């Protein structure tokens, strides 16, 4: 599904060059469930953002679905993540001014899907995560766990092949976290590739593969 | 998608109420100002344009030493004979007021004129009753406007009823027309057929220089006619009809109907004022500036708040939105706000229009808001606002990269502080220019009405004396009235009823005829009006009459300067020849006084005693119980002249009426300067509120470190003090330049003093202090724990 080859990322601070990612090589196959772990500041989010094409490396090669994405125009790239990637954030990042229903619906609008069709798709999602009763509430009227469910529903509605989740359970208690992990597991069973960043050993165990980062390097894989 | 945008927009407005209120109210006020200015400009620039033949209609005027809108009544018949190709030629004699008798009651009514049967052909009216082709054909016919007909005949049929005019003519009502629109140079209420007075004015018809005030000649040229060609034939026309001598000095300029309102060479304030097109271009500029101020608020608040919306931008981008979709979304939100502002603006306009129409003495009705041109302007203004105010913030906000804005602690760098500061400077500068402009107009009007008049106008009323044989009886009556301080009989108070005559002074080398004002005054006149004698004596009571050819006269300073004399003492005993035949000896010199409006330079003036020409009474009243005094005068006057209706005028009001145009400009300036300041202050308030919220933590820390309330207020204000000072450096020279040019249109003007600029900058500081003060003090007195704990 995606390959990273000799990826470097650095920042220039004064005359010093601080490396955040150093020589990352990764090959992730369709259907894998990958967990990225590592201490704070080790570059996990940066790596995830590079994979999600929200950030660019300074050096290296990135192949996504057999396409060299680093040489693409911004527009083409956003076309790819629009249709293939769903993002889930630690801070949920729901749009405060939109209801649950509308938040889930938004990606479909950007994909120019007809309103009748949209209704059905959103209804399916609300059903699946059992939040039909909350569909007219605004994000600030929901608990953190419920907000994250909406965030996942929103990521899933475009039927992505890949889900990128940066500490999806970071703001949740362990019971809520477990629930989210089970949903991921279930999705993975349906064939969706999942890459998550996590601090929790327990959550990492849900994955089929764990990558440990240290100071921007892949320290080990298990 | 649009629905989604509007939904977010509406919720965003609801969530950020203060922010939205400032924007929407500011824009609504701006739009309302634009609409009102548009209506005013449309009204003023549209003077006389509603007449169907307006583009081919001209007024024949007289240019001899001066420009006079009135010409001899002999001009019209001569034009008819000599220019048979003209489509219409019409004779009008406009009388300011008329004495009417209806059902044995006497009334004085304004706006009466005599006009011939061709008049309705040129000035098409909406005829409710009567036939425009015949209504003015016969002598003793009168056509009334709807409101006059209603005033005197109520709901009864006015057609066929009779009205007695000037105790002389028995007129039959032969037509009723809709009220004449306000924006015409000839605002009349009644037309009496010219045939009614034709015989009485026969004498005047043959004499080129016998010009009755308000005697106008109008022509309509055929289509595709070259008016310049006709103009070049006018010299021959005068020569043929009135002889070589007159043709040498006099011209008959053909003045386009639609220029009359704007031709300030002809000052005929008595019927309708003239103005300059520039005034209205200035108003349009003000409308644009007000819109700019409102747009600046929008841009400043939007960019200041951009960071708040950065997260949403990031999320939407991650969810697949392109930048152009986001730009559309933000523009959609702006559009939504502007739409609300537009509706509000229309409501505000509709609500205040009647009030404003009175203030600015315009006849504009709410119905005019529904014209297609108004709707077009509203839409155009709205679109320009959307582009001006919405585009830049939309580009800034849509530019955020999701990676930056989605970090759990975003460290976004865009603040647009320099841009915001520059825009605030522009706002302050615009407001200061408006303040300075308003002050200059105010000072100039005060100067017009109250300064350097050269005579005392306080508490003086002026009224007619219809029968001169009763002069002494009336004088006694007035002198016995305890409310009357002083009385004088004359041809008119200094500012009332100006007569002119020719003069020469062979001994001083003035051989060619020149023009002087001529006033007939009694022996009390100079004392009563406190005219300052510079040399010699005032006039003495004599038994001289018009037929005498030797007179003792008092002249003004301008006259002796004309004669080449500087020292008033040296003028005593000099001779001048008045009106071709009167030998006048100068026995007194008086300091110049204002007898016409200050739009004109003071002219030479001759004052002499002639009791046969005392048409007017001037009386200075005690300032207490004025109403009682006037009622008593009215009673005495009415019993002496039972045939007439008493009407009087305060000199104050008469003088103020000369400057009604400037008064209107002043009112407009004041109003729109105030609106500009209000909108600007709202924006400033929004910015400072935002800054106070943003710097809450900084303030907290400073307070913990020992900063006092004054320190905190200073922290917030020092920046604005600098901005106001920069704005002033831009505004002061600009305003000086604009207002200096404005003043040049008057014959006499004030100097733009430093005090005006001091007031402008001080008021800016005060306005800013009030706007900023509240938030700054609020930020300063809050307990630092509160702002620090939240981090
Ligand atoms: N704009 C920037 N300039 C300089 N350094 C940066 C910038 N952005 C991130 N970094 C640095 O990059 C490193 C990696 O950051 P990253 O957010 O990827 O860490 P992380 O592993 O996700 O940490 P955490 O577990 O705390 O979320 C950090 O040391 C951070 O200080
Ligand atoms: Mg991270």
């Amino acid at each position: 599904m995606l390959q990273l080859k000799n990826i470097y990322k650095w920042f220039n601070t004064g005359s010093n060059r601080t490396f955040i990612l150093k020589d990352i090589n990764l090959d992730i196959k369709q259907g894998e469930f990958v967990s990225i772990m590592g201490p704070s500041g080790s570059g996990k989010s940066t790596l995830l953002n590079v994979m999600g094409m929200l950030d660019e490396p300074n050096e290296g090669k990135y192949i996504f679905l057999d396409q060299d994405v680093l040489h693409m125009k911004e527009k083409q790239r956003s076309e790819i993540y629009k249709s293939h990637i769903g993002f889930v954030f630690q801070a949920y990042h729901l749009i405060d001014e939109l209801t649950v229903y509308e938040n889930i619906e938004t990606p479909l609008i950007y994909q120019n899907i007809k309103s009748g069709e949209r209704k059905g798709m959103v209804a399916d999602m609300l059903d699946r995560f059992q939040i039909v009763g909350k569909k007219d509430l605004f994000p600030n009227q929901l608990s953190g766990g419920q907000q994250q469910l909406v965030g996942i529903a929103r990521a899933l509605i475009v039927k992505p092949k890949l889900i990128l989740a940066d500490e999806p359970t970071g703001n949740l208690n362990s019971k809520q976290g477990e629930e989210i992990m089970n949903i991921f597991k279930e999705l993975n069973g349906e064939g969706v590739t999942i890459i998550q960043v996590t601090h929790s050993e327990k959550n990492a165990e849900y994955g089929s593969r764990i990558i440990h980062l240290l100071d921007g390097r892949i320290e080990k894989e298990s | 998608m649009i629905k989604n945008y509007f939904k977010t927009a509406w919720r965003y407005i609801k969530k950020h109420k203060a922010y939205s209120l400032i924007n929407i109210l500011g824009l609504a006020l701006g739009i309302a100002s634009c609409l009102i200015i548009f209506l005013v400009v449309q009204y003023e620039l549209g003077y006389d344009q509603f007449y169907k033949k307006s583009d081919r209609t001209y007024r024949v005027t007289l240019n001899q030493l001066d420009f006079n809108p009135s010409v001899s009544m002999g001009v019209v018949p001569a034009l008819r004979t000599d220019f048979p190709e003209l489509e219409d030629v019409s004779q009008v004699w406009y009388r300011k007021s008329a004495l009417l008798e209806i059902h044995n009651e006497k009334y004085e009514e304004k706006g009466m004129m005599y006009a011939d049967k061709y008049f309705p052909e040129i000035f098409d009216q909406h005829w409710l009753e009567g036939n425009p082709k015949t209504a003015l054909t016969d002598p003793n016919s009168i056509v009334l406007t709807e409101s006059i007909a209603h005033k005197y005949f109520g709901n009864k049929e006015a057609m066929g009823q009779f009205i007695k005019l000037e105790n002389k003519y028995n007129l039959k009502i032969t037509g009723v027309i809709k009220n004449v629109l306000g924006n015409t140079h000839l605002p009349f209420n009644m037309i009496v057929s010219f045939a009614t007075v034709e015989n009485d004015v026969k004498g005047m018809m043959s004499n080129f220089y016998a010009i009755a005030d308000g005697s106008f000649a109008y022509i309509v040229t055929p289509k595709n006619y070259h008016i310049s060609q006709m103009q070049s034939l006018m010299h021959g026309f005068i020569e043929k009809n009135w002889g070589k001598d007159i043709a040498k000095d006099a011209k008959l300029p053909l003045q386009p109907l639609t220029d009359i309102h704007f031709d300030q060479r002809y000052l005929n304030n008595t019927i309708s004022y003239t103005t300059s097109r520039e005034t209205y271009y200035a108003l349009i500029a003000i409308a644009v500036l007000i819109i700019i101020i409102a747009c600046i608020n929008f841009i400043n608040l939007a960019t200041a708040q951009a960071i708040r919306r950065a997260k949403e931008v990031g999320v939407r981008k991650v969810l697949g939105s392109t930048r152009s979709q986001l730009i559309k979304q933000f523009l959609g939100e702006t559009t939504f706000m502007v739409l609300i502002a537009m509706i509000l603006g229309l409501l505000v306009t509709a609500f205040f229009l009647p009030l404003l129409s009175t203030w600015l003495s315009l006849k504009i009705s709410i119905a005019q808001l529904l014209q297609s041109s108004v709707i077009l302007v509203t839409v155009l203004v709205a679109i320009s606002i959307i582009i001006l105010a919405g585009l830049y913030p939309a580009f800034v906000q849509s530019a955020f990269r999701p990676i930056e804005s989605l970090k759990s602690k975003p460290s976004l760098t865009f603040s647009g502080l320099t841009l915001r500061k520059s825009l605030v400077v522009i706002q302050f500068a615009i407001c200061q220019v408006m303040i300075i402009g308003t002050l200059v107009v105010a000072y100039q009007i005060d100067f017009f009405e109250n300064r350097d008049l050269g005579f005392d106008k306080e508490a003086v009323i002026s009224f007619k004396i219809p029968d001169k044989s009763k002069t002494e009886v009336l004088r006694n009556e007035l002198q016995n009235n305890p409310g009357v301080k002083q009385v004088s009989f004359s041809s008119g108070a200094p500012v009332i009823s100006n007569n002119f005559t020719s003069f020469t002074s062979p001994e001083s080398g003035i051989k060619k005829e020149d023009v002087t004002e001529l006033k007939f005054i009694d022996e009390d006149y100079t004392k009563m009006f406190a005219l300052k004698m510079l040399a010699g004596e005032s006039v003495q009571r004599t038994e001289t009459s018009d037929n005498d050819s030797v007179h003792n006269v008092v002249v003004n300073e301008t006259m002796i300067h004309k004669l080449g004399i500087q020292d008033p003492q040296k003028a005593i005993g000099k001779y001048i020849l008045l009106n071709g035949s009167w030998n006048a000896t100068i026995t007194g010199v008086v300091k110049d006084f204002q007898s016409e409006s200050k739009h004109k330079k003071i002219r030479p003036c001759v004052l002499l005693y002639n009791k046969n020409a005392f048409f007017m009474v001037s009386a200075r009243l005690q300032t207490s119980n004025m109403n009682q005094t006037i009622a008593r005068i009215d009673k005495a006057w009415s019993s002496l002249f039972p045939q007439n209706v008493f009407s009087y005028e305060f000199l104050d009001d008469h003088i103020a009426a000369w400057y009604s145009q400037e008064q209107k400009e002043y009112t407009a300036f004041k109003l729109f300067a105030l609106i500009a300041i209000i909108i600007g202050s709202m924006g400033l308030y929004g910015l400072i509120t935002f800054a106070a919220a943003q710097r809450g933590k900084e303030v907290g820390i400073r307070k913990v470190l020992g900063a006092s309330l004054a320190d905190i207020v200073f922290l917030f204000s020092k920046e604005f003090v600098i901005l106001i000072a920069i704005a002033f450096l831009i505004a002061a020279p600009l305003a000086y330049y604009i207002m200096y040019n404005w003043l040049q249109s008057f014959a006499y003007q004030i100097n733009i003093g430093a005090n005006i600029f001091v007031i402008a900058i001080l008021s800016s500081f005060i306005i800013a202090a009030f706007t900023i003060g509240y938030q700054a003090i609020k930020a300063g007195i809050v307990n630092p724990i509160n702002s620090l704990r939240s981090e």
Side-chain angles (χ1 to χ4, degrees):
Chain A
M1 169 147 234
L2 62 86
Q3 285 116 23
L4 295 170
K5 288 180 188 158
N6 311 105
I7 294 287
Y8 285 85
K9 174 132 187 103
W10 64 76
F11 282 103
N12 291 325
T13 43
S15 54
N16 289 351
R17 180 170 283 187
T18 334
F19 284 88
I20 300 167
L21 296 176
K22 281 180 251 177
D23 197 17
I24 302 282
N25 289 288
L26 254 182
D27 190 343
I28 293 171
K29 299 266 169 333
Q30 184 110 30
E32 281 193 275
F33 187 159
V34 182
S35 300
I36 302 175
M37 295 194 71
S40 188
S42 57
K44 305 182 294 292
S45 297
T46 312
L47 178 60
L48 202 71
N49 286 336
V50 166
M51 291 195 281
M53 288 167 249
L54 299 176
D55 206 354
E56 282 175 43
N58 296 85
E59 225 179 271
K61 209 170 168 144
Y62 179 25
I63 312 283
F64 184 84
L65 291 175
D66 302 326
Q67 284 170 294
D68 185 347
V69 290
L70 294 183
H71 293 108
M72 280 183 182
K73 291 226 176 65
E74 162 88 40
K75 197 137 191 182
Q76 282 172 295
R77 218 182 298 157
S78 84
E79 208 49 52
I80 294 184
Y81 67 69
K82 211 153 128 176
S83 46
H84 297 294
I85 306 177
F87 291 90
V88 176
F89 304 97
Q90 174 178 1
Y92 328 128
H93 287 329
L94 302 177
I95 298 175
D96 297 333
E97 282 76 23
L98 297 183
T99 61
V100 166
Y101 183 97
E102 290 157 354
N103 261 292
I104 298 175
E105 186 190 25
T106 304
L108 299 177
I109 294 173
Y110 289 125
Q111 297 212 359
N112 296 322
I113 292 172
K114 297 246 157 45
S115 127
E117 226 175 302
R118 291 205 300 260
K119 264 192 196 136
M121 293 168 80
V122 177
D124 283 351
M125 277 298 149
L126 292 170
D127 255 357
R128 171 162 192 181
F129 293 103
Q130 291 158 6
I131 45 177
V132 183
K134 311 257 183 277
K135 74 179 168 57
D136 291 324
L137 297 183
F138 287 93
N140 60 8
Q141 297 168 307
L142 300 177
S143 75
Q146 288 165 333
Q147 289 191 51
Q148 194 58 296
L149 282 182
V150 175
I152 295 170
R154 188 179 64 181
L156 281 179
I157 193 143
V158 295
K159 305 207 165 56
K161 293 200 171 67
L162 173 65
I163 284 191
L164 297 175
D166 193 347
E167 300 185 44
T169 60
N171 287 355
L172 303 180
N173 62 33
S174 59
K175 190 173 162 292
Q176 289 168 322
E178 207 170 303
E179 201 178 329
I180 301 292
M181 281 305 119
N182 284 326
I183 290 168
F184 278 1
K185 185 106 193 153
E186 196 182 316
L187 285 172
N188 187 239
E190 291 164 19
V192 180
T193 313
I194 292 175
I195 305 175
Q196 68 161 342
V197 169
T198 182
H199 280 289
S200 132
E201 293 282 350
K202 198 167 141 242
N203 287 349
E205 292 302 328
Y206 282 84
S208 51
R209 183 174 166 194
I210 300 174
I211 293 163
H212 293 271
L213 279 188
L214 188 63
D215 289 340
R217 265 181 217 286
I218 297 181
E219 189 200 24
K220 63 170 184 192
E221 267 203 59
S222 56
Chain B
M1 181 119 42
I2 304 268
K3 208 177 116 204
N4 189 279
Y5 290 165
F6 275 156
K7 219 168 350 186
T8 356
W10 175 238
R11 290 185 190 146
Y12 195 79
I13 288 171
K14 275 203 311 199
K15 193 162 163 195
H16 303 278
K17 285 196 192 73
Y19 163 81
S20 311
L21 206 66
I22 288 171
N23 272 331
I24 291 173
L25 279 186
L27 289 175
L29 270 177
I31 291 172
S33 308
C34 269
L35 278 177
I36 285 162
I37 287 175
F38 175 76
L39 288 172
V40 170
V41 168
Q42 183 186 247
Y43 178 90
E44 292 285 345
L45 295 186
Y47 250 69
D48 292 312
Q49 276 176 353
F50 49 86
Y51 290 119
K52 286 196 186 74
K53 297 178 182 172
S54 63
D55 55 329
R56 293 184 285 134
T57 306
Y58 297 83
R59 182 168 71 176
V60 183
T61 63
L62 173 65
N63 171 211
Q64 200 262 339
L65 296 171
D66 213 337
F67 285 87
N68 193 339
S70 306
V71 290
S72 159
M73 290 186 193
V75 169
V76 164
L79 281 170
R80 256 185 217 127
T81 320
D82 291 10
F83 297 93
E85 70 274 24
L86 291 176
E87 199 173 295
D88 299 296
V89 181
S90 177
Q91 179 89 272
V92 169
W93 187 20
Y94 194 97
R95 315 298 296 139
K96 267 171 267 176
S97 64
L99 182 66
L100 307 179
E101 189 180 323
I102 300 164
H103 304 319
N104 298 321
E105 284 285 340
K106 288 192 196 296
Y107 307 94
E108 179 144 327
E109 189 58 66
K110 287 200 165 58
M112 191 277 279
M113 66 180 195
Y114 299 101
D116 61 17
K117 61 179 175 187
Y118 305 100
F119 182 82
E121 286 289 318
I122 304 180
F123 299 94
D124 45 293
Q125 307 290 344
H126 184 42
W127 287 71
L128 299 169
E129 276 175 282
N131 181 350
K133 291 207 160 43
T134 57
L136 293 170
T137 310
D138 297 330
N140 302 317
S141 308
I142 183 168
V143 173
L144 306 179
T145 56
E146 202 179 5
S147 62
I148 293 289
H150 192 81
K151 179 170 168 191
Y152 294 109
F153 300 98
N155 293 325
K156 278 194 303 195
E157 172 85 12
M159 279 292 280
Q161 301 265 26
F162 287 89
I163 293 179
K164 193 157 186 187
L165 177 69
E166 309 292 352
N167 298 319
K168 199 166 169 192
Y169 310 109
N170 223 351
L171 309 174
K172 186 177 172 185
I173 298 172
T174 55
V176 177
I177 58 173
K178 268 220 177 286
N179 290 343
V180 182
L181 287 178
N183 52 345
T184 173
H185 78 287
L186 203 63
F188 61 87
N189 288 321
M190 294 163 279
I191 320 175
V192 177
S193 61
F194 190 73
T196 314
V197 283
E198 201 150 14
N199 274 326
D200 303 343
V201 296
K202 268 263 146 62
M204 294 219 267
M205 304 262 276
S206 53
N207 188 340
F208 188 77
Y209 282 125
I211 300 167
D213 201 26
S215 140
F216 303 135
Y218 298 93
I219 59 168
V220 174
T221 63
K223 292 193 174 97
N224 304 320
Y225 189 79
H226 293 289
I227 194 69
S228 54
Q229 205 179 329
M230 177 170 172
Q231 184 70 70
S232 65
L233 296 173
M234 293 315 281
H235 183 79
F237 169 74
I238 302 171
E239 196 172 299
K240 180 186 159 224
N241 289 286
W242 294 279
K244 259 197 159 65
D245 281 349
I246 286 178
K248 212 166 54 194
D249 295 333
K251 295 191 190 74
L252 292 175
L254 305 173
Q255 186 187 26
L257 175 66
T258 48
D259 280 358
I260 293 177
H261 187 52
F262 305 103
D263 198 337
Q264 295 189 301
R265 293 173 305 175
Y266 302 84
L267 284 164
N268 56 338
N269 284 316
T270 47
I271 298 179
S272 63
Y273 60 91
T274 55
T275 177
S276 66
R277 289 197 168 91
E278 285 70 27
T279 306
Y280 299 97
Y281 300 151
L283 265 186
I284 294 173
I286 288 176
V288 172
L289 291 178
I290 288 179
I291 286 292
I292 288 177
I293 292 183
C295 287
I296 287 179
N297 280 355
F298 197 98
I299 294 172
N300 276 349
L301 294 177
T303 53
Q305 309 241 356
I307 290 161
R308 271 202 204 160
R309 299 203 66 180
K311 184 189 120 187
E312 182 192 337
V313 169
V315 172
R316 284 189 185 269
K317 279 194 170 173
V318 165
L319 296 180
S321 170
T322 59
R323 182 158 181 212
S324 63
Q325 278 170 322
L326 282 168
I327 291 176
K328 275 187 223 149
Q329 180 191 339
F330 287 123
L331 281 181
E333 285 174 17
T334 312
T335 308
F336 190 68
M337 279 214 199
V338 172
L339 280 180
I340 298 176
M342 200 171 96
I343 294 164
L344 215 62
L346 277 167
L347 290 177
V348 168
T349 312
F351 187 76
F352 284 106
L353 199 57
L355 193 66
L356 279 170
S357 299
T358 341
W359 280 357
L360 303 176
S361 53
L362 307 165
K363 286 192 190 165
I364 299 179
S365 66
I366 294 178
Q368 270 163 285
L369 276 178
L370 298 171
Q371 296 171 86
S372 51
S373 58
V374 173
I375 292 165
L376 187 73
V377 165
T378 319
V379 171
L380 280 179
V381 168
I383 291 174
S384 357
I385 293 175
I386 292 167
I387 292 171
L388 220 61
L391 217 49
Y392 178 73
F395 269 93
V396 168
Q397 287 177 305
S398 64
F400 289 123
R401 296 176 58 217
I403 171 95
E404 307 280 340
S405 50
L406 294 183
K407 279 187 186 159
S408 35
K409 275 186 192 167
S411 60
L412 291 172
T413 45
F414 177 82
S415 62
L417 212 53
T418 341
L419 175 88
R420 269 204 300 284
K421 282 180 187 165
S422 325
L423 292 178
V424 168
V425 166
I426 293 176
Q427 283 186 322
F428 272 125
I430 294 175
C431 288
Q432 284 173 356
V433 168
M434 289 199 181
I435 292 172
I436 295 171
T438 310
L439 287 171
V440 170
V441 177
Y443 276 90
Q444 176 73 3
I445 289 178
D446 177 61
F447 167 73
F448 275 155
E449 292 182 1
N450 302 314
R451 312 269 163 249
D452 298 337
L453 292 175
F455 68 95
D456 183 359
K457 62 165 182 160
E458 288 316 311
V460 176
I461 62 170
S462 162
F463 49 92
K464 274 194 265 194
I465 162 161
D467 179 354
K468 286 186 284 292
S469 69
K470 294 182 181 160
T471 305
E472 288 313 311
V473 191
L474 182 61
R475 190 194 295 269
N476 282 331
E477 185 61 50
L478 290 169
Q479 278 166 349
N480 289 333
N481 186 332
V484 176
K485 264 198 209 159
Q486 283 163 302
V487 188
S488 169
F489 286 68
S490 63
S491 61
V495 292
I496 288 185
S497 175
N498 309 107
N499 301 291
F500 299 92
T501 190
S502 62
F503 79 93
T504 57
S505 176
E507 77 170 5
S508 309
I510 301 178
K511 298 211 174 64
K512 201 170 171 290
E513 285 195 336
D514 208 334
V515 157
T516 177
E517 190 180 351
L518 183 62
K519 276 199 183 297
F520 301 106
I521 60 167
D522 67 4
E523 68 276 19
D524 297 327
Y525 192 89
T526 51
K527 210 174 335 120
M528 150 144 186
F529 286 106
L531 300 183
K532 194 170 172 218
M533 295 303 296
L534 298 175
E537 304 266 292
S538 183
V539 298
Q540 304 294 322
R541 184 188 273 252
T542 63
E543 285 308 314
T544 49
S545 74
D546 296 350
N547 304 326
D548 291 343
S549 56
V550 181
H551 299 269
N552 287 338
V553 299
V554 172
V555 299
N556 68 354
E557 270 179 293
T558 304
M559 175 59 104
I560 64 167
H561 294 158
K562 263 258 149 90
L563 300 176
I565 303 166
Q566 295 308 319
D567 179 4
Q569 289 300 341
K570 297 221 170 90
I572 304 297
K574 297 278 181 211
Y575 292 100
I576 49 180
L577 191 66
L578 291 172
N579 204 14
S581 60
W582 302 349
N583 283 304
T585 311
I586 299 175
T587 54
V589 178
V590 77
K591 196 167 155 38
D592 277 346
F593 58 93
Q594 209 71 41
S595 64
E596 293 178 278
S597 87
K598 277 187 184 151
H599 295 96
K600 298 185 190 173
K601 289 270 180 208
I602 289 179
R603 315 197 224 204
C605 183
V606 174
L607 307 164
L608 64 89
Y609 188 92
N610 180 353
K611 69 171 185 219
N612 293 330
F614 294 164
F615 309 108
M616 304 292 292
V617 186
S618 310
R620 186 183 306 282
L621 311 181
Q622 304 281 5
T623 43
S624 54
N625 300 327
M626 267 198 211
N627 287 339
Q628 268 175 316
T629 308
I630 292 170
R632 192 172 154 180
I633 295 173
D634 184 357
K635 213 167 139 218
W637 192 96
S638 298
S639 63
L640 277 175
F641 312 108
Q643 293 290 314
N644 295 277
V645 176
F646 180 70
S647 82
Y648 67 94
E649 191 181 23
F650 273 98
L651 291 198
D652 273 1
D653 296 341
H654 187 89
I655 293 170
W658 283 341
Y659 310 114
S660 63
Q661 177 57 20
E662 284 75 22
Q663 274 294 355
K664 267 168 67 173
E665 288 172 21
Y666 176 49
T667 313
F669 264 108
K670 255 194 313 201
L671 177 70
F672 293 116
L674 188 70
I675 291 178
I677 290 168
I678 290 174
I679 301 177
S681 309
M682 288 196 316
L684 203 57
Y685 183 80
L687 276 186
I688 197 74
T689 311
F690 176 78
Q694 213 184 21
R695 295 170 82 170
K697 189 179 163 200
E698 179 191 339
V699 170
I701 294 169
R702 280 176 191 272
K703 284 195 76 172
V704 169
L705 297 179
S708 67
L709 174 61
D711 293 328
I712 301 300
V713 172
F714 177 73
L715 176 75
F716 281 104
S717 343
K718 69 163 189 257
E719 184 178 317
F720 287 100
V721 170
I722 295 167
L723 295 185
I724 289 173
I726 297 173
F728 182 73
L729 290 181
I730 301 169
L734 194 67
Y736 183 84
Y737 174 79
I738 297 170
M739 295 320 289
Y740 181 83
N741 281 316
W742 179 77
L743 286 173
Q744 297 318 304
S745 65
F746 304 104
Y748 298 95
Q749 63 275 107
I750 54 161
N751 291 317
I752 305 179
N755 56 338
I756 287 177
F757 294 97
V758 173
I759 296 175
I761 194 162
L762 279 184
S763 49
S764 299
F765 281 131
I766 292 168
I767 292 162
F770 272 106
T771 319
I772 297 169
Y774 171 70
Q775 286 292 340
I777 291 171
K778 202 173 96 178
I781 54 179
V782 85
N783 188 338
I785 304 295
N786 294 339
S787 49
L788 294 181
R789 192 190 282 145
S790 65
E791 282 298 312

